[in-house]
Amino acid sequence: MEIEIRLAPEEKRMAPNFEKLLFGRVFTPHMFIMEYNCDQGWHSPRIVPFSNIEIHPAAIVLHYAQTIFEGLKAYYGVDGKIRLFRPWENVARLNRSAERLCIPTLNSEFVLKAIKTLVWLDKDWIPKQKGSALYIRPFVFGTEGSLGVKPSHEYLFIIILCPVSAYYEEGFNPIKIYVTERYVRAFPGGTGDVKAGGNYAASLKAQEEAKKAGYTQILWLDGLERKYVEEVGTMNIFFVFEDELITPALTGSILPGITRDSVLKLASILGLKAEERRISIDEVIEGIEKGKLKECFGTGTAAVISPVGKIFYREREYLINQGQTGEIAKRLFDYLTGLQYGEIEDPFKWTLILEESL
Ligand code: COI
């Protein structure tokens, strides 16, 4: 399929000054959009000026949350080249999420072409300073106007772009996380392992309570026993016990993060042992108390690698690594961002360099 391009007016295409970027508030002048219906399948792909969209008040997404999304970034490298990081993984996960929510899947190569074409068109909106990037948000949702609970027969697939800097106010400084036993994010057999919008809606209440108590994010425990660590609000979680890196195994209710997977693969290059296994909150607390838990950090596209300096659990606050960024988090951050910004060779072939001829 050819992508039709309708350009935004010249004055709207000028990139602003990127000094203070709040995550997800500034959008580039164009967006990609394409529709689905049962007769035509996915059709009419186009890039158009960024604008509001019209939606039926009974659209299935508005009532029953049939919506999925992805998040990836385009980086402006030290060599002036634009890189995407493992975009194939995001596209594959988008289709896994689609399957889980009875949304028609998309042609992976075509989705990648749409992302590349849009990013290239709005490439002047990629902030140039290291630590900033262009956040790419592809999403799909059911638009059929129908109040019956069933998969929609009509969909929109849209891609929007935001210049962003650090996700958290803390930047790369340690954040504080709050363990909830009251709420759960996901359950075996649920949608916790895909990027469904509803997962995030269901997390808001706990997230607000954590915020009120002065914490940046929630640390979720498993839904069955509320005993095993799963993930943090918008990221996966890693612990460093002595010299070993541990992250909760993907048991079906944890999002298989692409940064998580990258960190697991980078560990061996950096001479670290890494293990995926179940890890209980008791083991974490005991590790802190006995001085065995040296570091904790979260991983995610938006969050990159975010050190965790404090954990609140059962009325007590525990300090990790004196509340400071740990050596291992720093090394992983430097290596990962080194690849993303083209500072170091990419032995994994994880980066996709964009070029004029897409
Ligand atoms: C991402 O890291 O891309 C995410 O999906 C987190 C987002 C919910 C802010």
Side-chain angles (χ1 to χ4, degrees), residues 33-166:
I33 186 161
M34 141 164 121
E35 281 119 23
Y36 175 94
N37 63 37
C38 295
D39 294 335
Q40 294 164 282
W42 286 110
H43 65 96
S44 311
R46 56 208 184 270
I47 288 175
V48 295
F50 187 96
S51 74
N52 289 348
I53 51 169
E54 259 196 14
I55 191 159
H56 194 292
I60 284 183
V61 63
L62 299 179
H63 303 268
Y64 310 127
Q66 197 191 10
T67 179
I68 54 167
F69 70 94
E70 267 306 318
L72 64 159
K73 283 175 175 169
Y75 306 85
Y76 187 87
V78 288
D79 50 4
K81 292 186 177 156
I82 299 163
R83 287 173 174 79
L84 301 181
F85 186 72
R86 306 186 73 186
W88 311 276
E89 304 299 329
N90 294 91
V91 176
R93 192 172 60 186
L94 183 73
N95 274 331
R96 288 202 302 276
S97 303
E99 294 226 336
R100 179 64 182 83
L101 269 85
C102 297
I103 291 174
T105 54
L106 293 120
N107 177 292
S108 301
E109 264 170 46
F110 185 75
V111 173
L112 194 52
K113 174 173 154 179
I115 291 172
K116 291 196 292 187
T117 311
L118 183 64
V119 170
W120 190 260
L121 186 64
D122 282 344
K123 63 181 181 313
D124 292 347
W125 287 65
I126 307 178
K128 293 197 169 62
Q129 59 277 39
K130 193 174 172 193
S132 303
L134 191 67
Y135 186 75
I136 305 166
R137 170 55 63 88
F139 57 111
V140 191
F141 54 96
T143 52
E144 184 187 347
S146 161
L147 293 181
V149 179
K150 61 163 187 75
S152 177
H153 286 144
E154 292 160 16
Y155 295 87
L156 278 181
F157 170 45
I158 300 181
I159 308 172
I160 52 177
L161 308 174
C162 301
V164 296
S165 54

Side-chain angles (χ1 to χ4, degrees), residues 23 69-72 90 93 135-137 167 195 200 233-235 255 299-304:
F23 185 88
F69 70 94
E70 267 306 318
L72 64 159
N90 294 91
R93 192 172 60 186
Y135 186 75
I136 305 166
R137 170 55 63 88
Y167 182 71
K195 265 180 119 55
Y200 295 79
T234 56
M235 16 182 234
L255 189 82
T299 61
T301 298
V304 194

Side-chain angles (χ1 to χ4, degrees), residues 234-238 259-260 263 297-301 303-306:
T234 56
M235 16 182 234
N236 294 113
I237 185 111
F238 281 82
T259 314
R260 173 190 179 280
V263 164
F297 57 88
T299 61
T301 298
V304 194
I305 297 214
S306 289

